Amino acid sequence: MSYRAPVKEYQFIFDHIVDFDKVRATDLFSEATSDLTDAILTEAGRVAEDVLAPLNRVGDLNPARLENGVVRTPPGFAEGYKALAEGGWIGTAADPEYGGMGLPMAVTTAINEMMSGSCLSLQLNPLLTQGQIEALEHHASDEIKATYLPKLISGEWSGTMNLTEPQAGSDVGALRSKAEPNGDGTYAITGQKIYITWGDADFVDNVCHLVLARLPDGAPGTKGISLFLVPKKLPDDNGNAGVSNSLKVVSLEHKMGIHGSPTAVMQYDGATGWLVGQEHDGMAAMFTMMNNARLGVAAQGVGVGDGAYQHALAYSMDRQQGRSMIQNGTGAIIDHADVRRMLTTMKADVFAARAISAACAVAIDMGRATGDQAWQSRAAFLTPIAKAFSTDTGIQITQTGVLVHGGMGFIEETGAAQYYRDVMITSIYEGTNGIQAMDLVARKLMDGGETAFTLISEIEDHAEAARGRFPELAEAVWQAAETLRETTEWMVEQKDYNDRFAGAVPYLRAFGRVLGAHYHLKAAMAGDASRAKWAAFYIKRLLPEHAACLAHAREGADALYALSPDDLAA
């Protein structure tokens, strides 16, 4: 089955759902006209369909491998990457001063979704480079920017992030990697990092690693960590990749999915690196990259979910099985009510998650273009929701895609299982979804819930405006938003953060469900009869999940700890 990029869907979302015209109205993004963005999305869709999609299965069947210290990528990946680099797709949001397009993050998010929906394993490479570009733009010295940014933006070089160590996963402050000043402005980096996505590649001249390490006078914990740029090859006097640095790929992980993407164990043995940002302030610089990547991973969840939906839909329209229960049925399994339920849920959820991610990207663009704290707060608030809701949704969609195939979904040759295996990692990337939820109910509610309440009020105001055309749907959305408001008030009142954390995941899930219903209702108001049908399905059948989630969220932590480890083991 061929992949079809959601170009028209994004055009509709930009025009009618997420107020992208506000982005175009800013001085910073005034050149992102409708004609320009439509042309860019159309071309990105063509690349995704024609260049990347044929590589998806190839990468799964021909995993990246390490041979004599050299990472070998799957057949065709080099050519696919070359198409991305030469087309300028790596630097779409990057600063034009260094060769980037300077496009809004909303457009980049749409492009990233198309690329990941067609071939996640390869798309991971430019996604990480994009995050490194943004981190360097914000925190690196002018000299580092001049040397590295043009090469990263052009795709000649690629970038990674190095946080995790064997003993330091989510607890980054437990890292042991160290940095010693060399006395010439550079540092000697020593340590081992694990789970380094695209830690090496045979189709770029250089791989640039952002590495967290501790200086000799660095305090314990995260406050004593610094960030260093450590290239595989040291730039020569002309800024080109020169002699090899003192680092290597020790091994590649054998993974559940994304086989085409090499996930490396990296060893640094006094490797030369340059400080990025201020000493002992590495987490601030690294979080710039991580927040960029969190929205990118949200787009990955949507993209792979959409790919799985398209795959399942094609199968359901072709597979003949059983007796049709409807008039004028085709005899294919798409006639069956439960298969229709699965497919409808998949597509309705794709739209909801896509709209949430696009709304987050628009908030980022507005915050950057205007400097308005309200937009910046909204972007920060929506980021964990977009990341966790979209990737959880992607996992559910791909799992359902296997079920649509029935027994054939369990057979690798159909390709249905690959989507499920590949997308699972997105719920772990850039902080697990549980950590995203904890961030939402803690740090993101530190304003007393002001940002959350503003969003909820907007949902209620739109529902009020929709009562004339869709009274039943509008009432359901309004009531759901009001229940969400009450639970948000409960969250803000809890002084014991463990009570918040105990219900963080269902709270985030509920917020995503209500936002999804809001965007479906907006689509019904702006679109045709088909959009109204989709809104009715989502609001009547999927939105009610929010009530159970919010009830769960308000229960606090006592019941969890009433069960002892002995009870759990019994």
Side-chain angles (χ1 to χ4, degrees):
M1 187 219 78
S2 59
Y3 171 77
R4 185 180 64 190
V7 175
K8 291 184 178 179
E9 196 71 353
Y10 265 106
Q11 290 169 336
F12 178 81
I13 287 174
F14 284 172
D15 290 343
H16 302 290
I17 306 300
V18 296
D19 299 324
F20 189 66
D21 280 344
K22 291 182 178 178
V23 177
R24 293 188 175 114
T26 65
D27 291 339
L28 182 61
F29 298 119
S30 60
E31 295 183 3
T33 63
S34 180
D35 288 344
L36 177 63
T37 56
D38 286 353
I40 288 172
L41 292 177
T42 299
E43 180 59 18
R46 185 197 66 78
V47 173
E49 293 171 354
D50 298 344
V51 179
L52 297 187
L55 300 175
N56 195 42
R57 193 67 176 151
V58 174
D60 192 53
L61 298 175
N62 300 273
R65 62 192 189 280
L66 183 64
E67 292 183 346
N68 300 319
V70 178
V71 170
R72 303 296 185 190
T73 56
F77 270 40
E79 292 76 13
Y81 180 83
K82 182 179 179 181
L84 294 178
E86 292 183 347
W89 300 112
I90 297 172
T92 53
D95 190 338
E97 179 181 352
Y98 298 100
M101 293 188 188
L103 291 171
M105 184 55 67
V107 177
T108 295
T109 299
I111 294 168
N112 284 340
E113 190 213 307
M114 296 178 197
M115 303 297 183
S116 58
S118 54
C119 185
L120 177 61
S121 286
L122 183 52
Q123 188 269 341
L124 278 162
N125 185 295
L127 178 71
L128 285 164
T129 301
Q130 289 170 1
Q132 186 171 114
I133 288 168
E134 184 170 0
L136 296 181
E137 285 178 347
H138 283 82
H139 301 284
S141 67
D142 290 342
E143 183 180 3
I144 288 177
K145 291 178 184 178
T147 300
Y148 287 87
L149 286 178
K151 294 288 199 298
L152 292 167
I153 290 169
S154 69
E156 295 174 67
W157 298 355
S158 64
T160 75
M161 67 167 78
N162 287 232
L163 292 81
T164 307
E165 299 180 7
Q167 79 295 335
S170 300
D171 183 12
V172 179
L175 65 78
R176 296 172 184 162
S177 294
K178 60 182 182 179
E180 298 279 351
N182 287 326
D184 60 357
T186 67
Y187 298 79
I189 312 302
T190 300
Q192 187 176 93
K193 299 289 185 177
I194 62 174
Y195 304 151
I196 309 308
T197 303
W198 280 101
D200 198 11
D202 55 3
F203 48 63
V204 291
D205 294 337
N206 205 357
V207 181
C208 308
H209 304 283
L210 280 180
V211 183
L212 288 176
R214 199 181 308 277
L215 288 164
D217 60 344
T222 57
K223 292 183 180 180
I225 296 174
S226 301
L227 182 65
F228 301 88
L229 181 58
V230 188
K232 175 184 176 182
K233 296 181 179 180
L234 299 173
D236 61 21
D237 292 339
N238 296 317
N240 297 314
V243 299
S244 295
N245 207 348
S246 301
L247 58 88
K248 63 182 179 181
V249 177
V250 176
S251 62
L252 298 183
E253 303 292 357
H254 299 90
K255 301 169 297 188
M256 175 180 179
I258 54 169
H259 294 153
S261 168
T263 301
V265 175
M266 300 295 304
Q267 182 67 39
Y268 298 88
D269 296 308
T272 301
W274 286 262
L275 181 69
V276 175
Q278 301 299 313
E279 292 185 356
H280 317 311
D281 198 26
M283 290 304 294
M286 182 59 85
F287 265 110
T288 298
M289 184 173 185
M290 288 185 67
N291 281 328
N292 177 294
R294 282 170 178 167
L295 178 57
V297 172
Q300 290 175 340
V302 179
V304 180
D306 190 26
Y309 165 71
Q310 293 183 32
H311 197 78
L313 177 65
Y315 180 83
S316 73
M317 296 176 73
D318 181 66
R319 172 65 168 164
Q320 301 285 315
Q321 189 76 192
R323 181 172 62 88
S324 176
M325 301 294 289
I326 59 175
Q327 290 185 343
N328 303 316
T330 65
I333 61 172
I334 195 172
D335 291 347
H336 299 301
D338 191 56
V339 173
R340 191 71 63 93
R341 174 194 62 81
M342 289 189 285
L343 292 168
T344 308
T345 301
M346 293 166 81
K347 184 168 183 176
D349 268 342
V350 165
F351 177 86
R354 181 178 286 143
I356 291 170
S357 296
C360 180
V362 164
I364 291 172
D365 289 329
M366 291 300 295
R368 180 184 171 199
T370 67
D372 187 333
Q373 181 60 50
W375 279 112
Q376 293 171 0
S377 296
R378 176 171 298 208
F381 187 85
L382 285 175
T383 294
I385 299 175
K387 193 275 180 181
F389 185 82
S390 296
T391 56
D392 282 345
T393 296
I395 290 169
Q396 291 171 347
I397 291 171
T398 57
Q399 181 185 39
T400 303
V402 172
L403 295 176
V404 170
H405 284 74
M408 293 302 294
F410 202 68
I411 306 301
E412 285 289 351
E413 285 78 0
T414 64
Q418 182 188 345
Y419 293 104
Y420 179 63
R421 291 187 286 101
D422 283 356
V423 82
M424 283 297 297
I425 187 61
T426 63
S427 65
I428 300 171
Y429 274 153
E430 316 314 328
T432 65
N433 287 355
I435 289 175
Q436 303 300 319
M438 292 165 68
D439 175 56
L440 179 67
V441 301
R443 186 179 300 273
K444 299 308 189 298
L445 292 181
M446 288 177 66
D447 62 355
E450 179 180 349
T451 303
F453 294 137
T454 299
L455 268 171
I456 292 168
S457 292
E458 290 179 10
I459 295 169
E460 292 179 343
D461 290 345
H462 182 266
E464 289 288 359
R467 288 185 186 276
R469 289 184 59 191
F470 303 104
E472 184 181 4
L473 302 183
E475 174 64 14
V477 173
W478 192 95
Q479 290 292 348
E482 189 61 17
T483 307
L484 181 60
R485 181 190 297 278
E486 294 166 358
T487 303
T488 303
E489 291 170 347
W490 182 91
M491 281 287 178
V492 171
E493 290 169 358
Q494 304 313 302
K495 304 309 177 186
D496 185 342
Y497 271 52
N498 221 28
D499 284 330
R500 298 191 192 190
F501 293 156
V505 167
Y507 174 78
L508 185 150
R509 178 73 180 175
F511 218 119
R513 272 285 175 238
V514 175
L515 282 170
H518 169 58
Y519 294 131
H520 267 288
L521 185 58
K522 289 189 74 171
M525 291 288 286
D528 56 17
S530 178
R531 296 283 182 184
K533 294 175 186 177
W534 284 109
F537 176 86
Y538 189 96
I539 292 169
K540 291 182 177 182
R541 294 173 180 258
L542 303 184
L543 175 61
E545 179 192 358
H546 87 283
C549 287
L550 293 177
H552 185 170
R554 293 190 299 268
E555 278 300 303
D558 289 349
L560 298 181
Y561 293 96
L563 294 165
S564 68
D566 290 340
D567 292 323
L568 294 173

